[in-house]
């Protein structure tokens, strides 16, 4: 099976050391995490890790199971790009002087970028999109002399009409009521 | 009723309320408040002082494996905690329930390289099922309840509670807590719909079914259901190393041990079976050999409580994600009675070859020059204990010969470091086992290399009068490495010969009786003498260093490509 970029979504309790517990499953197999974004999700007390990694499905299916095995991990899923809606954000800092002498309107219109700040010395653009779109703008701004550039990790939501984590937590709640 | 107690006392009360009767450990600076309180509770919670923290945790493992209860170990911060790592990794690999409590520096000093500070949680995460740092006294009781629940439910494993000094000396109200509900952890999963029915259907339709019984059978207490299933369906059953003793060695459907040094029948017939049902085992590489040549004709059912084991090594046709006992109980009524005598007898034909070509040689006892062979010694010792003893092994040739030639009448009778292969495990594990099941004989088979890795624990035997029979299979060599050097490294014995101390004299220094058996002719009498001795005993047996373990499936071979001796492969008819 050919390696490709996959997205892994991990839902966890909000406890210390989860990052370490997740990352060690990758490092143990010498897998490089391509990007990782962590934040609270819509379910109270639940944190979501969105991870991208370039590898084979078999390998990452094992990884997902081993992540899910950690006690404080609620659920983990493996997705191809087709199964999710995903986005990244990037910031570009360029000298204001070079912006002034460029066809900047074309660039901004064409890329859908926004201007966040204009300072006599520098101007900051923001662009959301997929990696290739963000890098396309990077190439267009390059002649202006990019002073700083940063691209976030991927964030993603599923295209599925079922909310698997909600369903899982409901089933666990039902089990807990049965036990008590 | 709630009481106001110090954190140290809360810890001890929580341990007792979670069923702890004894613990193994070693004091030190940052766990002293706990040890001070242990002094008050010595009538209810017995502490066994190991001579090294690694000894303490292996003893806790041996205790847990012998009893099924959670083994408890305590250590101080820094070096104390770091010395537990090997045992934690061992317990994780072999699904052994252990709770380790480590002292930690005060929380204001954390992260500042304080004296005897180490980052315990980060260090132990890869080798534990769960780990938590506790900084406040009020968090101790919930952490302990959670730790015990996690350690000994689902697939058991080790848990660490890192107890900062503030938590030990602070105060909080205490009341006994029940096992918590953890929404992110399902310790009792239900298999997917239809999986059990599919398993029964495959077994009923199979002409050549084979059950692979692993450690999960013992952990879930499924020995009787397994025996009922294999009896009803006349299904041959083979054990993994840690599965040994989950079915009596004399059971008519028992066909032997799997793996690199396992028996010919089950290994050969793995590749002839049409249905394989693996229960509570994880298709370790020592069991499967080359995966591309493994069980080509079989539909495979994998029953395990740990979902991460499915398809990790061997792709299974059916996954049954639940407790082994529950799965087998559900399958039993759906199973048809069947006559599979011919298939069962095919194992016997391999067995006859193994008896003639391998066992006759290995069980001979006497080697040229009066030295002895490990297999024969193991068999004689086990027979002297009527095949009823708890057999504990170290790692290496001693282990392979012990598991090959011990026979088991009783369940929970084999304690060995399987997954991690930890030399030095044997002696402390045997001590822990004897403390756990004092009514049973405990026999340790150990090599001269492994014994010296944790030999300081003879001190525990001396101090607490623990009756462990130590059979030292002494060839003055690191025998297993020597075997591989002989077979695969042109006989270049790099760093494997050992100049050894006088072990009998060493034992005597610890007040432990012992004998040297220099010549095979003296073996029977020496074993009888050991059997009679009311306390611990060290039998130092003079082993022929050229002794090698066969059959053997060298690395990279398929499960059915087996050496009978150093030059001849088995060619089954």
């Amino acid at each position: 099976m050919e390696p490709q970029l996959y997205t892994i979504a991990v839902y966890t309790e909000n406890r210390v050391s989860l990052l370490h517990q997740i990352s060690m499953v990758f490092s143990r197999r010498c897998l490089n995490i391509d990007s990782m974004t962590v934040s609270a999700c819509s379910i109270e007390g639940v944190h979501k890790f969105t991870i991208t990694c370039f590898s084979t499905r078999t390998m990452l299916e094992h990884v997902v199971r081993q992540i899910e095995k950690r006690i404080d991990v609620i659920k983990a899923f493996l997705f191809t790009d087709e199964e999710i809606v995903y986005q990244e954000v990037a910031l570009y800092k360029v000298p204001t002087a070079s912006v002034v002498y460029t066809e900047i309107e074309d660039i901004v219109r064409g890329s859908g970028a926004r201007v966040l700040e204009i300072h006599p010395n520098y101007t900051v653009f923001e662009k959301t999109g997929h990696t290739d779109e963000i890098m396309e703008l990077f190439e267009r701004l390059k002649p202006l002399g990019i002073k700083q550039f940063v691209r976030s990790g991927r964030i993603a939501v599923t295209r599925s009409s079922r909310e698997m984590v909600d369903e899982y937590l409901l089933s666990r709640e039902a089990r807990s009521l049965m036990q008590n | 009723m709630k009481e106001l107690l110090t954190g140290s006392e809360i810890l001890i009360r929580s341990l007792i309320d979670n069923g702890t009767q004894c613990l193994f450990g070693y004091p030190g600076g940052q766990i002293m408040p706990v040890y001070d309180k242990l002094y008050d509770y010595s009538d209810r919670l017995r502490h066994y002082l190991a001579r090294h923290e690694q000894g303490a945790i292996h003893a806790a493992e041996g205790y847990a494996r012998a009893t099924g209860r959670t083994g408890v170990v305590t250590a101080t911060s820094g070096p104390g905690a770091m010395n537990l790592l090997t045992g934690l990794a061992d317990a994780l690999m072999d699904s052994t329930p252990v709770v380790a409590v480590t002292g930690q520096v005060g929380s204001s000093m954390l992260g500042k390289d304080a004296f005897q500070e180490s980052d315990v949680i980060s260090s132990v995460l890869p080798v534990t099922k769960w780990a938590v740092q506790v900084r406040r006294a009020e968090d101790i009781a919930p952490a302990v309840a959670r730790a015990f629940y996690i350690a000994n439910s689902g697939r058991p494993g080790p848990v660490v509670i890192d107890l900062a000094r503030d938590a030990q000396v602070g105060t909080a109200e205490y009341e006994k807590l029940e096992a918590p509900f953890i929404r992110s952890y399902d310790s009792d999963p239900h298999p997917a719909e239809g999986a059990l029915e599919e398993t029964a259907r495959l077994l009923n339709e199979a002409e050549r079914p084979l059950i692979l019984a692993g450690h999960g059978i013992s952990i879930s207490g499924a020995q009787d259901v397994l025996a009922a299933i294999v009896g009803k369906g006349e299904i041959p059953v083979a054990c993994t190393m840690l599965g040994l003793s989950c079915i009596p060695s004399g059971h008519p459907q028992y066909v032997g041990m799997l793996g690199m040094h396992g028996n010919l029948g089950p290994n050969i017939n793995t590749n002839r079976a049409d249905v394989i049902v693996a229960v509570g085992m994880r298709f370790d590489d020592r069991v499967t050999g080359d995966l591309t040549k493994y069980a080509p004709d079989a539909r495979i059912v994998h029953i395990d409580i740990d979902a991460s084991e499915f398809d990790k090594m061997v792709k299974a046709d059916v996954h049954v994600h639940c407790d082994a006992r529950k799965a087998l109980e559900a399958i039993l009524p759906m199973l048809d009675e069947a006559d599979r005598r011919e298939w069962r007898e095919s194992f016997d034909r391999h067995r006859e070859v193994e008896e003639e070509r391998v066992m006759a040689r290995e069980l001979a006892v006497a080697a040229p020059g009066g030295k002895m062979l490990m297999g024969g010694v193991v068999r004689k010792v086990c027979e002297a204990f009527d095949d009823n003893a708890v057999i504990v092994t170290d790692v290496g040739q001693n282990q392979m010969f012990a598991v090959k030639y011990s026979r088991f009448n009783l369940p929970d009778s084999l304690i060995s470091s399987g997954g991690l292969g930890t030399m030095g495990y044997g002696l402390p594990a045997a001590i822990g086992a004897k403390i756990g099941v004092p009514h049973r004989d405990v026999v340790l088979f150990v090599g001269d290399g492994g014994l010296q890795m944790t030999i300081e624990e003879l001190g525990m035997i001396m101090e607490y009068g623990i009756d462990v029979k130590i059979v030292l299979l002494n060839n003055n060599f690191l025998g297993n490495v020597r075997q591989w050097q002989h077979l695969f490294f042109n006989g270049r014995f790099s760093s494997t010969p050992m100049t050894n101390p006088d072990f009998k004299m060493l034992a005597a220094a610890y007040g432990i009786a012992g004998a040297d058996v220099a010549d095979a002719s003296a073996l029977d009498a020496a074993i009888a003498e050991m059997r009679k001795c009311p306390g611990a005993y060290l039998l130092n047996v003079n082993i022929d260093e050229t002794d090698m373990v066969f059959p053997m499936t060298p690395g990279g071979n398929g499960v059915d490509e087996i050496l009978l001796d150093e030059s001849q492969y088995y060619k089954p008819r």
Side-chain angles (χ1 to χ4, degrees):
Chain A
M1 211 179 294
E2 284 300 300
Q4 66 173 86
L5 191 75
Y6 285 93
T7 301
I8 295 168
V10 185
Y11 294 82
T12 74
E13 298 293 357
N14 181 17
R15 301 177 79 103
V16 284
S17 84
L18 256 311
L19 175 64
H20 185 46
Q21 294 189 53
I22 292 167
S23 68
M24 74 191 188
V25 178
F26 289 87
S27 55
R28 187 179 175 199
R29 289 171 178 259
C30 206
L31 285 170
N32 211 351
I33 289 172
D34 188 70
S35 79
M36 181 187 273
T37 309
V38 191
S39 65
C41 77
S42 61
I43 309 162
E44 203 184 326
V46 177
H47 273 230
K48 181 175 178 180
F49 291 65
T50 307
I51 301 161
T52 57
C53 185
F54 194 82
S55 185
T56 62
R57 172 172 281 278
T58 312
M59 172 75 94
L60 292 178
E61 278 174 349
H62 294 166
V63 163
V64 162
R65 287 206 184 106
Q66 286 181 330
I67 290 172
E68 205 170 80
K69 181 175 170 175
R70 299 305 304 184
I71 300 293
D72 295 317
V73 171
I74 296 166
K75 271 280 163 196
F77 305 95
L78 181 66
F79 300 116
T80 58
D81 286 357
E82 291 70 39
E83 294 168 302
I84 51 175
V85 177
Y86 57 97
Q87 196 71 307
E88 288 170 13
V89 59
L91 300 177
Y92 313 74
K93 180 179 170 186
V94 295
T96 301
S98 65
V99 170
V100 177
Y101 298 104
T102 321
E103 296 296 320
I104 196 69
E105 188 192 341
D106 252 19
I107 296 178
V108 172
R109 275 185 191 282
S111 64
R114 295 198 300 153
V115 177
L116 286 188
E117 183 168 303
I118 304 175
H119 181 272
N121 289 335
Y122 62 84
T123 299
V124 178
F125 296 96
E126 176 217 81
K127 157 106 187 102
T128 56
H130 289 181
T131 311
D132 50 347
E133 297 166 322
I134 284 167
M135 293 318 291
E136 198 180 306
L137 178 60
F138 180 86
E139 292 303 322
R140 291 200 69 182
L141 291 175
K142 217 172 176 180
L144 280 61
I146 293 174
K147 289 157 134 358
Q148 283 183 43
F149 166 71
V150 64
R151 183 161 65 85
S152 76
R154 172 180 283 194
I155 53 171
V157 291
T158 62
R159 289 208 154 101
S160 163
S161 48
R162 290 179 61 189
E163 300 307 327
M164 303 300 283
V165 180
D166 292 343
E167 286 176 23
Y168 174 78
L169 287 174
L170 279 173
S171 77
R172 294 294 295 152
E173 218 168 282
R175 279 283 284 281
S176 99
L177 291 175
M178 265 161 56
Q179 271 177 26
N180 294 329
Chain B
M1 198 191 76
K2 291 186 175 183
E3 300 167 77
L4 193 69
L5 304 174
T6 65
S8 296
E9 190 159 5
I10 291 173
L11 173 74
I12 288 161
R13 293 280 288 274
S14 306
L15 292 177
I16 294 169
D17 286 341
N18 279 282
T20 311
Q21 294 164 4
C22 68
L23 62 155
F24 304 87
Y26 206 102
Q30 299 300 349
I31 192 85
M32 281 183 66
V34 170
Y35 271 83
D36 184 59
K37 205 38 88 176
L38 269 175
Y39 201 63
D40 297 333
Y41 280 82
S42 55
D43 57 330
R44 279 185 277 170
L45 189 56
R46 179 138 198 214
H47 179 268
Y48 291 92
L49 176 68
R51 271 35 179 185
H52 188 289
E53 289 88 351
Q54 187 185 351
I57 190 164
H58 290 327
E61 286 185 274
Y63 176 89
R65 291 274 288 273
T67 63
R69 296 196 293 269
T70 303
V72 180
V73 56
T74 47
T76 191
S77 65
M82 293 298 105
N83 281 340
L84 297 179
L85 287 178
T86 309
L88 292 169
D90 191 276
L92 185 68
M93 284 285 247
D94 286 351
S95 314
T96 306
V98 168
V99 168
V101 180
T102 53
Q104 181 56 281
V105 300
S107 52
S108 67
M109 293 302 287
L110 282 165
K112 297 176 182 171
D113 301 323
F115 176 65
Q116 292 195 329
E117 185 206 354
S118 64
D119 184 356
V120 171
I121 297 298
S122 296
S123 305
V124 304
L125 278 175
V127 290
T128 48
K129 188 173 172 187
W130 190 66
V132 66
Q133 185 175 71
V134 178
R135 299 177 178 198
R136 302 184 308 176
E138 59 263 44
D139 297 333
I140 292 177
V144 173
R146 199 173 159 98
F148 273 79
Y149 170 53
I150 290 170
N152 211 348
S153 61
R155 179 177 176 178
V159 168
V160 166
I161 301 172
D162 192 36
L163 207 54
R165 194 181 176 83
D166 339 17
Q168 298 174 44
V169 298
T171 54
E173 288 186 327
Y174 176 73
E175 66 177 334
K176 187 179 172 178
L177 295 177
E178 296 302 318
F181 173 76
I182 304 175
R183 65 176 179 174
S184 59
Y185 169 59
D186 189 355
S187 64
D188 187 19
H190 297 314
E193 214 177 297
L196 291 162
E197 292 75 8
E198 179 68 1
T199 305
R201 188 185 68 77
L202 283 171
L203 278 173
N204 287 336
E205 289 173 6
E207 288 176 10
R208 301 179 309 280
L210 175 62
I211 290 181
L212 313 182
H215 195 188
I217 299 285
S218 309
I219 293 170
S220 69
Q223 294 94 341
D224 54 337
V225 202
L226 175 70
I229 281 191
V230 301
K232 189 176 180 189
E234 260 192 46
I235 304 169
V237 55
C239 284
T240 66
M241 190 178 84
L242 294 193
L244 289 174
S245 81
C246 77
I247 189 151
S249 308
H251 190 285
Q253 296 304 324
Y254 178 64
V255 294
M257 188 177 80
L258 296 160
M260 178 179 270
H261 292 297
N263 297 111
L264 293 179
N267 282 330
I268 294 288
N269 279 350
T270 291
N271 281 8
R272 297 183 175 185
D274 58 357
V275 169
I276 287 178
V277 177
V279 194
M281 58 85 79
R282 59 187 177 84
F283 294 105
D284 181 83
D285 53 279
R286 295 285 146 140
V287 161
T288 62
D290 183 352
L291 285 169
T292 61
K293 300 176 189 163
Y294 186 76
D297 300 333
R299 304 288 304 276
I300 295 176
V301 178
H302 193 177
I303 300 174
D304 207 292
I305 201 161
D306 178 358
S308 77
E309 293 301 345
F310 296 136
D311 300 339
K312 187 184 80 179
M313 304 300 289
V314 169
K315 181 102 181 126
D317 299 282
V318 182
H319 299 159
V320 182
H321 183 207
C322 72
D323 173 76
R325 182 176 180 91
K326 287 185 179 171
L328 296 182
E329 275 178 342
I331 291 164
L332 180 59
M334 293 188 277
L335 191 72
D336 299 339
E337 284 182 30
D339 175 1
R340 297 190 172 96
R341 201 172 313 152
E342 203 177 318
W343 167 237
R344 171 65 189 84
E345 282 169 4
S346 72
F347 289 81
D348 294 339
R349 289 197 296 278
H350 302 299
R351 175 85 189 182
E352 283 155 19
V353 175
E354 188 175 341
E355 281 177 1
E356 187 186 316
R357 305 269 305 273
V358 181
M359 294 183 184
R361 178 178 78 231
E362 293 183 343
L363 286 171
V365 181
K371 288 187 181 181
M372 282 151 279
L373 298 173
M374 295 187 229
V377 175
V378 166
R379 176 57 64 82
K380 277 183 179 292
V381 170
C382 290
E383 280 170 0
F385 288 90
D386 308 317
D387 296 328
N388 288 332
V390 175
I391 302 300
V392 184
T393 82
D394 206 73
V395 167
Q397 286 183 319
N398 65 85
Q399 176 184 35
M400 289 301 114
F401 279 114
V403 297
K404 274 159 56 81
Y405 293 116
S406 296
R407 291 173 52 82
F408 302 102
N409 293 330
L410 303 172
D412 299 320
S413 296
L414 189 264
I415 297 175
S416 186
S417 170
L420 199 67
T422 309
M423 281 178 71
Y425 173 89
L427 178 63
I431 293 167
K434 183 67 188 180
I435 290 167
V437 287
H439 53 286
R440 294 191 66 184
D441 291 315
V442 174
V443 175
L444 166 68
F445 291 104
V446 61
D448 44 304
L451 180 62
Q452 291 181 82
M453 280 199 176
T454 47
I455 199 162
E456 75 285 347
E457 303 309 336
L458 290 174
M460 245 205 285
I461 292 181
M462 172 176 65
E463 181 155 358
Y464 304 106
I466 304 197
D467 178 7
V468 174
K469 308 301 189 210
I470 304 165
V471 180
L472 173 57
L473 301 171
N474 183 0
N475 55 8
N476 298 302
F477 250 101
L478 299 176
N480 212 31
V481 181
R482 185 193 188 282
Q483 176 169 346
W484 284 62
Q485 287 171 335
H486 176 78
L487 294 174
F488 309 118
F489 291 87
N490 300 318
R492 290 150 55 87
F493 299 126
S494 174
S495 295
T496 43
M498 285 184 110
T499 304
N500 279 326
D502 182 329
F503 287 106
K504 185 185 157 196
M505 206 187 270
L506 243 170
Y510 283 96
I512 297 168
D516 294 321
V517 191
D519 193 276
S521 60
L523 182 66
D524 289 342
I527 291 172
E529 183 64 29
M530 174 173 76
R531 178 81 176 86
K532 266 197 311 204
C533 177
Y537 200 91
L538 185 138
L539 196 69
N540 179 25
V541 186
N542 186 16
I543 295 293
D544 176 17
E545 74 272 12
T546 64
D547 197 3
M548 287 194 282
V549 191
F550 289 99
M552 176 181 194
T553 308
N557 280 22
V559 68
D560 58 352
E561 298 167 327
I562 306 169
L563 280 169
L564 293 176
D565 53 44
E566 56 184 288
S567 58
Q568 293 194 68
Y569 273 96
Y570 178 43
K571 294 190 187 70
R573 275 164 289 158

